[in-house]
Amino acid sequence: MPLSYAPVLQETLEYIDAHLGEELSVEFLASRVNFSPYHFLRVFHFNTGYTVMDYVRRRRLAYAASELPGGGKVIDIALTYGFETHSGFSKAFRRLYGCSPETYRIHAQAKCPELPSLTHIQKYNTGGIMMEPKIVNREAFKIAGYSIRTTNVEGQNSKEIPAFWQTYMNDGRCEKMHKETFLKSHAEYGACFAMDENGAFTYAIGCEPQDGCAIPEGYEVFDIPARTYAVFSTPPSDGAGFVNAIQGTWNFVMNEWFPKSGYEYADGGVDFELYDERVMSETGKVCDIYIPVSKKG
C-alpha cells in the first residue's frame, strides 16, 4: 500500500465513526479524499478486507450493540445508528452477531467499540488466536431446581442473577438439593429460558434428575430441548476472577466469535452454563457455556 494511502484511509475510518447516524455512501466518502468511487472501493477493500458499506454497517451495529445492555428502547437505538425499522435492525444484528438484540442484552456487557485503527483491522483480518468451541449434539434433558423471573431492561439481569446464586448458596436450598436421591449428578446448571417481547425471561438453577425418577414437591422442573451446541470452556481462574472469566467468555462469544463463526443462535434453544467438579477446586475454576446454534442459511 502506498504510504500516502494509510493516513487517508485512517482518517476515513475515523470520519465514519464520527458520522454513523448520518447518510453515508461510497460516492460521498470517495469524494472527501478525492478518489473516484471505483478506486476508493478497491483501495478500501484491499486494505481493510471489507467493502465500504459493509464496514459502515458493522460499525453502526457495533455501537448499537454497546448501547443495548444500557436498557434503552431497541427502536431508539436502531434509529440513532441509521436503521429505519426495528425489523431491519434486528435482521442486520442477527446476521452479524448471530442472535437477536434482545438476546445480546442478556449476555453481553456494554463495551464501547475501540477507536478504528487501520493497523488493527489489517491484523484482525489475518486471523489470530481465537477461543474455539466444541460443536456437540445433545439430546433433550430436564433439570430440577429453582428459578427467578428477571429482565434485561436496564441490566437488571446482571444484578439479579448473581444475587439469586448467592441466595441459593446461602439459604439452605443448595445443601438440600445435593442431599436429594433423585439426582443423576451433582453438576449444576444455570439456564436462560425464552425471553418475551419486553425482555423478561426465566433463569433457573438446577441439577439433572435420574430418568423416570419422581421429583419431590418444592422443585420446579424445566425441559431443555435437543440441540446442537457450541460449547466454550472459561479460562481457569480463581475467586472473584471466576465471575469475570464467565462474563469475559460471554463477551468474546457475542462480540468476536459469532460474527466470524458462520453460526447463529438456534431458535427455541436454551443456553446454559454447566458447573461440574471443576468449580470445586480452590484454584483454576472452569465452567462450560453451552449455546444452541445452527448454521447460517
Side-chain angles (χ1 to χ4, degrees):
M1 178 177 70
L3 291 177
S4 59
Y5 280 179
V8 168
L9 289 175
Q10 180 62 43
E11 191 277 337
T12 297
L13 298 181
E14 293 171 5
Y15 180 89
I16 288 170
D17 259 36
H19 297 83
L20 289 172
E22 303 172 15
E23 185 175 348
L24 297 172
S25 68
V26 173
E27 291 75 16
F28 171 73
L29 293 172
S31 69
R32 288 188 67 257
V33 294
N34 297 315
F35 284 2
S36 71
Y38 178 76
H39 184 64
F40 183 67
L41 279 170
R42 295 293 296 272
V43 169
F44 192 95
H45 183 266
F46 181 80
N47 289 288
T48 68
Y50 300 108
T51 65
V52 177
M53 296 315 295
D54 182 46
Y55 177 81
V56 170
R57 179 177 58 85
R58 285 170 175 266
R59 292 303 282 178
R60 284 172 168 161
L61 289 169
Y63 275 90
S66 74
E67 294 190 14
L68 285 169
K73 291 183 178 179
V74 173
I75 185 58
D76 291 342
I77 295 171
L79 291 172
T80 297
Y81 292 103
F83 294 89
E84 296 180 353
T85 65
H86 184 290
S87 61
F89 173 67
S90 294
K91 187 178 295 184
F93 194 93
R94 177 178 283 277
R95 191 178 299 123
L96 180 61
Y97 285 94
C99 64
S100 68
E102 291 78 10
T103 296
Y104 184 92
R105 265 184 165 163
I106 294 176
H107 296 300
Q109 293 177 327
K111 180 183 178 183
C112 187
E114 296 179 1
L115 291 174
S117 164
L118 184 62
T119 301
H120 174 73
I121 290 173
Q122 290 170 332
K123 181 179 179 180
Y124 186 72
N125 282 335
T126 65
I129 298 173
M130 288 188 68
M131 184 188 300
E132 287 297 332
K134 296 178 292 184
I135 305 298
V136 303
N137 294 315
R138 182 158 180 174
E139 296 298 320
F141 66 101
K142 300 177 184 294
I143 61 172
Y146 311 96
S147 73
I148 59 168
R149 192 73 175 162
T150 186
T151 176
N152 61 28
V153 175
E154 297 184 354
Q156 280 184 237
N157 58 294
S158 64
K159 300 174 184 177
E160 292 177 348
I161 290 175
F164 178 39
W165 273 100
Q166 283 296 318
T167 303
Y168 162 75
M169 297 290 289
N170 295 313
D171 68 1
R173 284 182 293 177
C174 177
E175 184 178 1
K176 179 177 182 292
M177 166 84 79
H178 289 283
K179 289 181 178 178
E180 298 287 4
T181 58
F182 68 78
L183 297 187
K184 185 174 183 178
S185 81
H186 289 276
E188 291 175 316
Y189 294 80
C192 294
F193 291 84
M195 181 173 50
D196 66 23
E197 60 185 13
N198 297 315
F201 64 98
T202 296
Y203 181 85
I205 298 173
C207 294
E208 193 173 355
Q210 299 178 47
D211 294 339
C213 194
I215 309 298
E217 190 173 337
Y219 293 101
E220 300 174 76
V221 179
F222 302 89
D223 291 301
I224 299 181
R227 284 293 185 275
T228 297
Y229 293 92
V231 184
F232 293 83
S233 295
T234 60
S237 53
D238 306 332
F242 183 49
V243 175
N244 293 333
I246 295 171
Q247 187 60 64
T249 301
W250 271 112
N251 282 332
F252 169 82
V253 172
M254 306 302 285
N255 292 313
E256 297 188 46
W257 184 76
F258 261 127
K260 296 177 68 176
S261 68
Y263 286 94
E264 62 184 358
Y265 252 88
D267 288 340
V270 175
D271 58 66
F272 57 87
E273 295 158 4
L274 175 61
Y275 303 91
D276 56 23
E277 67 278 358
R278 293 171 297 170
V279 305
M280 302 305 294
S281 62
E282 291 297 323
T283 61
K285 295 178 183 291
V286 173
C287 79
D288 291 332
I289 297 174
Y290 282 69
I291 301 173
V293 295
S294 59
K295 279 286 190 180
K296 290 182 179 178

